[in-house]
Amino acid sequence: MKDQPMKTILILVFSVFAIASSGYARQTKEIKIGPNIPTVKLCDLIHKSRLYDQQMVRVQGIYRYGVEWSELYCLECLTGGSIWVEFNVSLESRTKKKLIKRVSGNEDLGRTVKVVFVGQYFTGRGYGHMSRHSAELKVYAIEKAEILLNDSPIPADLPPEVLHRAKCQ
């Protein structure tokens, strides 16, 4: 009977490990990036979000990141909101290093970057900082990244010389 608590603990630890491992395996299944992934306008993702939920998409937009933000938006449909951006761990193996550098760094200022991302789109709950976004794009690859500004102001505060280049359509 003395061994019973130890057996219970071992069974519990093994069960938790087995459950966690099976979830990890599902989350890291191989995602194939290729030309068959549909290109979707960012405004369509925002306005028809349920249609694309959990789908792989290729999308162009303006990526703004900084201390507490990582979001993709389009000036043409900004009133519809923005999409929270998370980078999958496989990004580095699928993307040129120079493109990764353009969407990272610059300390607290962050950057504003015109991008083409390939990722899996999610909607239906709160995402990102303080769960204030209604959708998320989990990015698996960056196909293009053009730095527009070495700062990440809200879209309304973009300098005029940047506004004309910040079109996503």
Side-chain angles (χ1 to χ4, degrees):
M1 292 302 270
K2 282 184 154 184
D3 291 335
Q4 189 62 29
M6 182 57 86
K7 284 182 184 179
T8 303
I9 290 172
L10 287 174
I11 290 171
L12 182 60
V13 167
F14 178 75
S15 299
V16 168
F17 178 74
I19 291 169
S21 296
S22 67
Y24 180 76
R26 276 195 309 274
Q27 291 175 350
T28 58
K29 85 174 189 185
E30 183 62 29
I31 301 288
K32 301 214 185 295
I33 305 295
N36 60 327
I37 294 175
T39 298
V40 178
K41 291 182 178 180
L42 184 54
C43 293
D44 286 345
L45 275 182
I46 290 170
H47 294 302
K48 301 173 187 174
S49 59
R50 290 183 186 209
L51 181 65
Y52 299 101
D53 188 30
Q54 299 185 32
Q55 300 298 310
M56 289 295 293
V57 295
R58 176 176 284 105
V59 64
Q60 178 174 303
I62 308 304
Y63 175 57
R64 169 184 173 261
Y65 70 91
V67 176
E68 296 177 342
W69 51 91
S70 175
E71 61 185 357
L72 189 64
Y73 67 87
C74 183
L75 292 173
E76 290 85 346
C77 58
L78 194 55
T79 57
S82 60
I83 298 171
W84 185 258
V85 173
E86 290 284 339
F87 293 107
N88 184 274
V89 294
S90 69
L91 177 79
E92 290 184 20
S93 66
R94 301 168 190 250
T95 302
K96 295 177 183 173
K97 288 183 182 184
K98 70 178 185 178
L99 296 178
I100 293 173
K101 286 181 182 181
R102 291 177 188 166
V103 298
S104 59
N106 208 31
E107 300 180 4
D108 292 348
L109 288 175
R111 283 196 181 106
T112 304
V113 186
K114 187 173 188 174
V115 297
V116 174
F117 286 153
V118 177
Q120 190 172 16
Y121 181 76
F122 297 94
T123 189
R125 64 178 183 86
Y127 299 92
H129 183 65
M130 298 179 70
S131 298
R132 72 175 200 86
H133 293 80
S134 61
E136 174 184 81
L137 184 68
K138 186 171 300 252
V139 177
Y140 288 87
I142 303 169
E143 294 184 340
K144 293 182 183 175
E146 173 194 347
I147 297 171
L148 299 177
L149 187 64
N150 276 316
D151 196 355
S152 57
I154 61 172
D157 291 341
L158 283 172
E161 66 273 10
V162 173
L163 277 174
H164 76 280
R165 297 182 328 165
K167 306 273 188 227
C168 63
Q169 299 295 344

